[in-house]
């Protein structure tokens, strides 16, 4: 029992340790700062084939388009120029490949998408890979990672997690697919449509809405640029929900391979340099729902362990009761056995004494009676000494040859029949036989 308790204690300890580790890891992810001092810059070369290098030499400049209203990923600054995470990444690729980009003047998403379909641009710098888009574009691996967050006014103390959006008024950006997905998931939301993320956050700042769904880095950038001091990020809505890749027209597969190699050549230190410029140096929101899920799993495990421990204790009690009952029964059986042995010994002694008395009585009869016994096979096992005084034969001889002493009298013909009845356990009727003694004289016996 002590061993079982030790095992259970170990299981509870390890489960607690796992849960604590998960919570600490979650806390680390939530409070990780993006403006960590970048490590020493490492630059990796791009290894192109001769065919790829020749293709680049004959197809420059590469026509590329940026979404101009998507800070800090790509946007138009006050000087009318493109900047942002995507722009810095493509500039780095341009340096690595030693190629020239021709930036298209169109910056509205619908316009640049149509321009790519019309083959007026070769590359769109940021695009979410979706099945319907794969008919027209080839995609690199994602390089811009975006998470949707819930933004509220800093006076709002009630809305702390995703599930609490039901029934709220929420600012959503027109034409963005994630806005449509939010309404599908929470049909009870009252949508407050705006044109840009800045407008959405402004609606929260002025308390026109309960919340806005925005991208984390975009929220930070707009909050600091426009001094929105009364908004806060309260929770993640969806992590990495719309990561962006470089989209290349499908009729340019060689260029798609070149961009993929270029992205793979970008080192972690180079990524850190770009990210530190644009990502927020503030802590991320606490993801209460993730923590709740982790705690729920731990609670379920704990409940299962408690039930298991209860079952073990219940079974132990039953085993203890059964063991006591078996011990008691065993004691009773031993007592009965001892009593039975005593009674058997007593009865055996009584039978022995009775037989001795009976034999003594029979053996003292001389002329009128004799006593015999035989087994179920008809073999004599005892013949009293009085047999010799009556018939003159020796007892041993008489036991072996008794049937030869019978005369030819008709009464002797039924001896075998009566003997068989006795061997079967039945009582034969009284009968008489005639026996010839050692001197040839006939004797009638009952």
């Amino acid at each position: 029992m002590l061993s079982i308790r030790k095992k259970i204690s170990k299981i509870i300890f390890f489960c607690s340790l796992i849960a604590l580790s998960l919570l600490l890891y979650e806390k680390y992810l939530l409070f990780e700062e993006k403006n960590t001092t970048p490590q020493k810059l490492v630059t990796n070369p791009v290894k192109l084939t001769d065919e790829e290098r020749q293709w680049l030499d004959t197809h420059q400049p590469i026509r590329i388009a940026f979404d101009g209203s998507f800070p800090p990923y790509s946007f138009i600054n006050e000087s009318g120029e493109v900047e942002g995470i995507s722009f810095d990444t493509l500039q780095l690729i341009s340096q690595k490949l030693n190629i020239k980009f021709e930036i298209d003047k169109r910056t509205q998403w619908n316009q640049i998408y149509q321009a790519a379909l019309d083959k007026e641009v070769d590359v769109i710098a940021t695009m979410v890979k979706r099945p319907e888009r794969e008919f027209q574009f080839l995609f690199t691996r994602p390089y811009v990672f975006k998470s949707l967050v819930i933004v509220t006014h800093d006076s709002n103390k009630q809305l702390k997690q995703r599930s609490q959006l039901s029934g709220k008024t929420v600012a959503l950006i027109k034409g963005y697919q994630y806005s449509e997905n939010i309404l599908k998931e929470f049909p009870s939301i009252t949508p407050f449509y705006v044109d840009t993320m800045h407008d959405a956050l402004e609606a929260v700042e002025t308390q026109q809405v309960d919340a806005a769904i925005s991208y984390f880095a975009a929220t930070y950038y707009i909050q600091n640029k426009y001094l929105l001091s009364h908004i806060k990020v309260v929770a993640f809505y969806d992590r990495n929900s719309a990561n962006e890749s470089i989209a290349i027209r499908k009729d340019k597969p060689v260029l798609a391979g070149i961009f993929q190699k270029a992205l793979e050549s970008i080192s972690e230190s180079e990524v850190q340099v770009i990210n530190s410029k644009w990502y927020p140096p503030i802590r991320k929101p606490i993801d209460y729902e993730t923590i709740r899920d982790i705690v729920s799993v731990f609670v379920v495990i704990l409940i299962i362990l408690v039930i298991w421990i209860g079952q073990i204790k219940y079974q132990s009690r039953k085993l203890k009761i059964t063991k006591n009952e078996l011990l008691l029964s065993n004691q009773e059986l031993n007592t009965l056995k001892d009593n039975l042995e005593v009674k058997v010994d007593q009865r055996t002694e009584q039978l022995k004494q009775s037989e001795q008395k009976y034999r003594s009585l029979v053996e003292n009869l001389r002329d009128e009676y004799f006593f015999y016994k035989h087994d179920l096979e008809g073999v004599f096992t005892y013949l009293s000494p009085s047999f010799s005084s009556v018939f003159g034969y020796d007892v041993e001889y008489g036991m072996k040859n008794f049937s030869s002493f019978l005369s030819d009298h008709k009464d002797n013909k039924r001896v075998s029949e009566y003997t068989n009845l006795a061997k079967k356990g039945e009582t034969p009727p009284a009968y008489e036989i005639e026996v010839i003694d050692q001197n040839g004289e006939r004797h009638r016996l009952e």
Side-chain angles (χ1 to χ4, degrees):
M1 187 64 188
L2 186 60
S3 177
I4 293 174
R5 286 177 179 172
K6 284 183 177 179
K7 288 180 180 178
I8 293 171
S9 299
K10 286 181 180 179
I11 292 171
I12 294 174
F13 172 75
F14 283 119
C15 287
S16 302
L17 192 62
I18 291 169
L20 181 61
S21 299
L22 289 172
L23 288 172
L24 289 175
Y25 178 67
E26 178 68 14
K27 187 174 181 180
Y28 166 76
L29 290 178
L30 295 174
F31 287 85
E32 181 189 24
E33 293 184 352
K34 286 291 184 177
N35 65 334
T36 305
T37 303
Q39 54 189 321
K40 185 179 178 180
L41 189 63
V42 178
T43 301
N44 299 320
V46 184
K47 296 180 181 180
L48 299 181
T49 65
D50 292 339
E51 179 187 0
E52 289 170 334
R53 178 57 62 185
Q54 185 178 0
W55 191 95
L56 276 181
D57 291 340
T58 57
H59 290 81
Q60 293 196 49
I62 304 299
R63 298 171 298 174
I64 189 166
F66 290 89
D67 185 344
S69 56
F70 201 27
Y73 308 106
S74 61
F75 63 99
I76 304 300
N77 61 22
E78 289 83 354
S79 302
E81 299 175 342
V82 179
E83 63 176 339
I85 296 170
S86 172
F87 180 80
D88 290 349
T89 303
L90 269 295
Q91 285 296 105
L92 179 59
I93 289 175
S94 174
Q95 295 169 14
K96 285 176 173 287
L97 294 175
N98 192 27
I99 60 174
K100 182 180 179 181
F101 288 134
E102 180 182 295
I103 300 176
D104 194 86
K105 298 298 182 183
R106 286 163 286 199
T107 57
Q108 294 298 315
W109 172 251
N110 292 337
Q111 294 176 353
I112 63 177
Y113 190 87
Q114 189 59 48
L117 296 181
D118 295 338
K119 299 184 178 182
E120 295 173 0
V121 296
D122 303 313
V123 177
I124 296 180
T126 52
M127 187 184 294
V128 178
K129 182 179 179 180
R130 296 198 179 100
E132 67 273 13
R133 293 175 176 173
E134 292 185 78
F135 292 105
Q136 287 86 25
F137 297 95
L138 297 170
F139 292 87
T140 65
R141 64 168 175 79
Y143 74 104
V144 173
F145 301 93
K146 302 180 300 180
S147 294
L148 286 171
V149 291
I150 302 171
V151 183
T152 69
H153 194 272
D154 59 9
S155 65
N156 190 326
K157 307 298 182 183
Q158 290 76 38
L159 210 166
K160 294 182 178 180
Q161 57 191 34
R162 178 178 179 176
S163 58
Q164 295 173 333
L165 286 171
S166 297
K168 301 295 190 297
T169 301
V170 180
L172 300 174
I173 303 171
K174 297 175 185 176
Y176 276 50
Q177 187 165 354
Y178 81 80
S179 298
E180 298 173 8
N181 294 336
I182 291 169
L183 288 175
K184 288 179 182 178
E185 184 175 358
F186 296 99
S188 63
I189 281 179
T190 301
F192 184 88
Y193 287 109
V194 294
D195 294 324
T196 65
M197 288 186 184
H198 177 206
D199 294 338
L201 298 178
E202 191 71 49
V204 175
E205 175 84 6
T206 57
Q207 294 184 292
Q208 298 178 68
V209 295
D210 298 308
I213 310 297
S214 176
Y215 290 107
F216 181 60
T219 300
Y220 162 76
Y221 177 83
I222 294 168
Q223 181 181 19
N224 284 274
K225 180 176 176 62
Y226 297 99
L227 302 178
L228 304 178
S229 58
H230 296 293
I231 64 173
K232 62 180 179 180
V233 175
V234 295
F236 280 103
Y237 180 85
D238 199 358
R239 292 177 181 271
N240 296 327
S241 55
N243 295 333
E244 304 273 358
S245 302
I246 301 173
I248 303 95
R249 280 182 11 213
K250 202 159 189 177
D251 60 339
K252 296 183 179 294
V254 177
L255 183 59
I258 292 170
F259 271 105
Q260 180 61 46
K261 286 183 177 181
L263 280 178
E264 290 172 353
S265 73
I266 297 176
S267 67
E268 187 64 32
S269 60
E270 289 172 325
V271 172
Q272 189 73 348
V273 168
I274 295 172
N275 287 346
S276 62
K277 179 180 177 182
W278 300 105
Y279 276 100
I282 59 173
R283 71 181 192 180
K284 293 183 179 180
I286 298 174
D287 194 341
Y288 291 101
E289 293 190 353
T290 302
I291 295 175
R292 181 195 63 194
D293 292 341
I294 295 172
V295 172
S296 297
V297 170
F298 174 70
V299 169
V300 169
I301 293 173
L302 193 59
I303 290 172
I304 292 172
L305 284 173
V306 169
I307 294 172
W308 183 39
I309 293 170
Q311 284 290 103
I312 291 175
K313 288 184 176 180
Y314 174 72
Q315 293 296 333
S316 297
R317 284 196 297 269
K318 285 187 67 177
L319 286 172
K320 189 175 181 180
I321 292 170
T322 303
K323 182 180 178 181
N324 291 335
E325 290 177 348
L326 287 173
L327 287 173
L328 183 60
S329 299
N330 192 43
Q331 290 175 355
E332 292 176 351
L333 285 173
N334 287 332
T335 302
L336 288 173
K337 177 186 174 184
D338 294 340
N339 293 338
L340 184 60
E341 287 178 351
V342 171
K343 289 181 180 180
V344 168
D345 291 341
Q346 291 175 348
R347 184 60 179 161
T348 302
E349 184 63 27
Q350 291 173 356
L351 289 173
K352 186 176 180 181
Q353 291 176 2
S354 296
E355 184 178 357
Q356 288 176 348
K357 289 179 181 179
Y358 186 65
R359 282 192 177 191
S360 177
L361 175 65
V362 171
E363 288 174 358
N364 288 324
L365 297 174
R366 293 296 178 186
D367 299 329
E368 297 182 6
Y369 300 93
F370 70 90
F371 176 74
Y372 71 92
K373 289 198 303 182
H374 63 72
D375 59 21
L376 293 178
E377 301 298 326
V379 178
F380 279 84
T381 59
Y382 177 75
L383 190 59
S384 64
S386 57
F387 177 81
S388 296
S389 63
V390 174
F391 297 102
Y393 298 110
D394 179 75
V395 170
E396 293 295 327
Y397 181 81
M399 289 175 65
K400 295 179 179 178
N401 302 284
F402 182 78
S403 58
S404 65
F405 304 154
L406 298 175
S407 69
D408 57 357
H409 193 278
K410 62 178 183 178
D411 290 342
N412 292 343
K413 294 179 179 180
R414 303 195 66 184
V415 171
S416 296
E417 179 185 343
Y418 294 143
T419 300
N420 288 333
L421 288 175
K423 286 162 67 175
K424 293 178 181 179
E426 300 179 17
T427 303
Y431 61 93
E432 291 184 357
I433 60 173
E434 187 177 84
V435 181
I436 301 173
D437 65 15
Q438 191 178 25
N439 297 323
E441 295 183 7
R442 295 174 182 265
H443 297 268
R444 296 286 295 177
L445 302 177
E446 182 181 10

